[in-house]
Amino acid sequence: MLRLFRPGPLKRFLATFSDSQFNQSFLVFDRHVKRLQRDRAAAKNDGANHRIVDYLRNEVAERMIERLLDVKRKYESVLDVGAGPGHFSRLIESKLTDKIVMLELSERSLHRDPDSEFDVPVERIHADEENLLRVIKPSSQEAVVSCLSLHWINDLLGVLIQIREILRPDGLFLAALLGGDTLFELRTALQLAELEREGGISPHVSPMTDTRDITNLLGRAGFTLLTVDIEDITVTYPSMFELLEDLQDMGEGNAVIGSRHILHRDTLIAASAAYKGKLHV
C-alpha cells in the first residue's frame, strides 16, 4: 500500500529533483553543494538559527503524522528518508513502531538533536538519499517516510524505484514534497529584476513538480493504491530578504548546477520591489 501526501503549492520555499544509481545522465542539482548548505545551516550558532526555521517542516510533519495514524498498524521500524534532525521522526510514538531509522545527507543535521527528544529508539544513517540500496537491504522495510526532502533529488523516478525495492510487499510509503507554485513570487521577482538589470536570467529557484508528474512517476516506479493530496501552506514575510535569510538557515539555498550564485546589489533591490508588488496585486 502506498500513500503519498504532498503539501502542494507552498508559497514560500524551495524545491528540486536529483540523481541516483538508476540514472546518472541527467543532473540538475549539485548534491555536494546541498550537503554543505545543510551542514552549515545546522552548525550555525550551534543549531539555534536552524531550530528557528523548523516551523515549515514541523507543520508538514504534523500533517503527515495524521495520515500515518489513519493506518491502524504498528511497524517493526520506520525509515525516515532525508530525515534532517527528525521533524517527522520525533512525532512518532511507541504505539506506532519499536524503532526509527533516520537517513540523512547532512551529518550535522542528522545529529543536531539528542536521542532524548525522541519517544522511540533511533538509529541514524549518514548517507545520500539518492543511493538508498547501498545502505538499505531490499524488501527490508515495512514503512518509509520522507518529509520535504525529495524535492532535491535529480532522478526522482530512480529514488522512487529504490524506495519500492526496499519496501516489503505490504509496505507503506508516505511522503511530502514541494511543488506547483512554491516560491512563485520569489522566482518571478528575481527573473524580472535580473532580466531588466542584467539582460538575462539564471535559475535561482529550483524547478517544481506537479500532481500529474508525481502520479505518473509513482506508477512508473511500480507503486499501486496511490493517494495524492495537495495542500497550500502560506508563510508571509516582511520582505524578500527575510525569506532569503530563512531559506539559507533551512539549508534550502540554490543548488542548481551552473547557476549564478551572486546577484548585483541593484538587481536585488529591484527584485525586492517586484516581490512586494506581486504580494499586493
Side-chain angles (χ1 to χ4, degrees):
M1 177 178 183
L2 177 145
R3 302 189 61 180
L4 183 139
F5 161 66
R6 178 166 68 89
L10 186 61
K11 296 301 183 182
R12 314 282 184 270
F13 203 72
L14 192 59
T16 66
F17 288 80
S18 187
D19 163 71
S20 77
Q21 62 185 6
F22 287 92
N23 183 3
Q24 298 288 341
S25 62
F26 184 67
L27 296 177
V28 178
F29 309 108
D30 189 324
R31 296 288 291 176
H32 175 68
V33 168
K34 181 49 53 187
R35 179 181 62 79
L36 291 177
Q37 289 176 348
R38 291 179 179 177
D39 280 344
R40 290 167 183 163
K44 185 178 179 182
N45 293 330
D46 199 25
N49 293 61
H50 202 224
R51 291 183 178 88
I52 290 173
V53 295
D54 277 347
Y55 58 84
L56 179 61
R57 286 189 171 88
N58 286 343
E59 173 64 26
V60 175
E62 290 279 359
R63 301 187 185 200
M64 286 181 62
I65 200 70
E66 294 177 2
R67 269 71 175 180
L68 187 61
L69 289 171
D70 287 340
V71 182
K72 307 301 181 182
R73 177 179 176 183
K74 183 171 181 178
Y75 306 93
E76 292 180 8
S77 68
V78 174
L79 173 63
D80 189 350
V81 174
H87 303 95
F88 182 84
S89 292
R90 66 166 50 90
L91 298 179
I92 298 179
E93 300 176 356
S94 56
K95 65 181 181 181
L96 289 175
T97 185
D98 297 321
K99 178 184 177 182
I100 299 170
V101 180
M102 293 168 52
L103 187 148
E104 167 60 36
L105 174 67
S106 163
E107 188 171 13
R108 296 298 295 266
S109 180
L110 179 65
H111 294 282
R112 192 195 75 179
D113 298 334
D115 290 354
S116 59
E117 294 194 13
F118 299 84
D119 192 54
V120 299
V122 177
E123 177 185 348
R124 304 176 197 244
I125 300 177
H126 177 218
D128 193 334
E129 304 98 300
E130 295 190 341
N131 299 296
L132 289 175
L133 287 172
R134 293 183 180 178
V135 292
I136 306 295
K137 295 180 180 179
S139 302
S140 63
Q141 303 299 311
E142 288 186 312
V144 176
V145 300
S146 180
C147 180
L148 296 187
S149 173
L150 296 180
H151 58 281
W152 283 117
I153 300 298
N154 284 298
D155 178 16
L156 186 54
L157 174 60
V159 170
L160 290 174
I161 291 173
Q162 292 183 75
I163 291 173
R164 187 207 61 189
E165 290 291 325
I166 65 177
L167 278 171
R168 295 177 184 175
D170 61 343
L172 177 140
F173 174 45
L174 176 69
L177 61 153
L178 305 171
D181 291 331
T182 301
L183 284 184
F184 172 78
E185 297 90 348
L186 178 62
R187 182 201 307 275
T188 304
L190 289 171
Q191 288 177 344
L192 290 173
E194 198 170 19
L195 185 62
E196 176 188 354
R197 299 303 173 97
E198 304 183 31
I201 60 175
S202 177
H204 298 288
V205 178
S206 303
M208 308 291 169
T209 58
D210 62 30
T211 308
R212 290 170 296 181
D213 295 331
I214 291 297
T215 304
N216 180 50
L217 288 172
L218 288 167
R220 290 173 61 190
F223 287 105
T224 58
L225 300 178
L226 310 180
T227 300
V228 178
D229 298 336
I230 302 175
E231 294 190 16
D232 291 340
I233 301 177
T234 301
V235 182
T236 302
Y237 294 89
S239 74
M240 181 188 77
F241 298 105
E242 285 82 4
L243 167 58
L244 292 175
E245 183 178 4
D246 272 14
L247 290 174
Q248 184 179 49
D249 288 340
M250 291 175 183
E252 293 293 335
N254 183 20
V256 176
I257 294 174
S259 64
R260 289 196 305 125
H261 297 285
I262 298 177
L263 286 172
H264 296 116
R265 179 180 176 83
D266 59 341
T267 302
L268 282 173
I269 294 174
S272 179
Y275 180 80
K276 287 183 178 180
K278 291 201 69 63
L279 290 181
H280 294 91
V281 170

